[in-house]
């Protein structure tokens, strides 16, 4: 299912002020935090809408079983096509991957830990923006807020039936993406912009 099925249908993204990521590299790259958050929001929503509409179609055609098969083949190519369209890098990262491709890197893992700690303390989770390696990165949380999410990511033998579990295990032998409950953090959106992205975006806006 390429790491995330129905959580896409219930994406929760809360935006706030600039937060530096733990482990951030020091660079001389400066950027407008508001512009990064606004653009990150737009791209995350566009990706969400594309994936969720395709998932809805798959569910209507063949239920959860068909959606699992669909995501296994199509979710990452769809995300990659949107990366090319927006001239950025888009991905969904998690501390409990279904597809190994979506395993959080060290910076993403630090952001996820920060989000989990904040949620356990009752704090609101906010976006994280930072620069490293001549690029600008935006993160936003993905949480489970819809009961349908648990059909593929909930508790085994409670939320996930035997038939669907067998399919998950067949498609993803090293799956770690079960055992979630409502309100849990499923992972993060990561949008990485080239350092020149916002200059070119501003120029294009002036031409319109």
């Amino acid at each position: 299912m390429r790491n995330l099925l129905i959580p896409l249908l219930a994406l929760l993204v809360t935006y706030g002020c600039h937060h530096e990521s733990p482990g951030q590299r020091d660079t001389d790259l400066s950027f407008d935090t508001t512009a990064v958050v606004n653009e990150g929001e737009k791209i995350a929503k566009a990706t969400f809408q594309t994936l969720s509409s395709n998932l809805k179609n798959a569910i209507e055609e063949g239920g959860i079983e068909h959606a699992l098969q669909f995501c296994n083949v199509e979710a990452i190519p769809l995300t990659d096509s949107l990366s090319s369209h927006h001239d950025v890098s888009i991905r969904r990262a998690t501390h409990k991957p279904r597809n190994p491709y979506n395993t959080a890197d060290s910076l993403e893992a630090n952001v996820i830990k920060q989000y989990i700690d904040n949620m356990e303390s009752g704090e609101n989770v906010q976006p994280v923006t930072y620069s490293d390696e001549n690029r600008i990165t935006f993160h936003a949380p993905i949480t489970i807020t819809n009961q349908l999410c648990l059909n593929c990511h909930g508790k085994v033998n409670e939320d996930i039936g035997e038939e669907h579990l067998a399919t998950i295990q067949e498609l993803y032998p090293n799956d770690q993406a079960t055992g979630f409950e409502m309100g849990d953090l499923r992972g993060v959106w990561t949008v990485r912009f080239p350092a020149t992205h916002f200059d070119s975006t501003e120029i294009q806006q002036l031409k319109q």
Side-chain angles (χ1 to χ4, degrees):
M1 193 179 53
R2 299 293 185 189
N3 173 55
L4 193 63
L5 177 60
I6 309 299
L8 292 168
L9 307 180
L11 177 68
L12 176 65
V13 182
T14 306
Y15 297 100
C17 301
H18 177 194
H19 292 264
E20 293 185 351
S21 170
Q24 174 186 347
R25 299 183 183 184
D26 293 330
T27 71
D28 294 329
L29 184 63
S30 61
F31 58 92
D32 182 340
T33 302
T34 300
V36 175
V37 169
N38 289 341
E39 188 75 359
E41 175 184 18
K42 182 177 72 173
I43 291 172
K45 284 184 176 180
T47 308
F48 155 69
Q49 289 169 355
T50 297
L51 291 171
S52 63
S53 63
N54 280 276
L55 286 170
K56 288 177 182 178
N57 291 336
I59 292 170
E60 290 172 359
E61 290 173 5
I64 298 297
E65 191 75 13
H66 181 58
L68 283 165
Q69 299 283 349
F70 167 83
C71 287
N72 181 258
V73 176
E74 298 294 342
I76 286 179
L78 281 171
T79 304
D80 288 345
S81 69
L82 287 166
S83 293
S84 297
H85 175 74
H86 292 285
D87 194 25
V88 299
S89 171
I90 309 168
R91 84 187 208 107
R92 294 163 293 141
T94 180
H95 52 309
K96 295 184 177 181
R98 175 149 288 168
N99 184 335
Y101 176 85
N102 297 110
T103 302
D105 64 25
S106 59
L107 290 176
E108 290 166 333
N110 284 338
V111 173
I112 288 170
K113 183 180 183 303
Q114 175 183 317
Y115 281 156
I116 291 173
D117 289 345
N118 288 347
M119 291 170 69
E120 289 178 348
S121 300
E123 301 175 28
N124 291 329
V125 288
Q126 299 179 345
V128 175
T129 61
Y130 57 89
S131 63
D132 70 299
E133 298 179 345
N134 294 317
R135 64 188 180 185
I136 300 168
T137 299
F138 164 91
H139 296 299
I142 302 171
T143 61
I144 294 180
T145 60
N146 191 307
Q147 188 67 31
L148 288 175
C149 306
L150 302 181
N151 289 325
C152 295
H153 294 289
K155 296 180 180 179
V156 175
N157 297 325
E158 291 185 23
D159 304 302
I160 303 174
E162 292 183 5
E163 180 182 0
H164 296 157
L165 179 62
T167 300
I168 291 169
Q169 292 174 337
E170 178 183 355
L171 296 174
Y172 307 98
N174 299 312
D175 176 56
Q176 301 177 42
T178 60
F180 287 91
E181 299 179 355
M182 290 288 289
D184 284 350
L185 184 78
R186 179 69 188 93
V188 294
W189 284 105
T190 296
V191 181
R192 291 192 170 105
F193 302 92
T196 58
H197 178 88
F198 293 95
D199 291 337
S200 61
T201 299
E202 182 177 344
I203 292 172
Q204 289 182 9
Q205 289 175 343
L206 289 173
K207 290 181 178 180
Q208 292 176 354

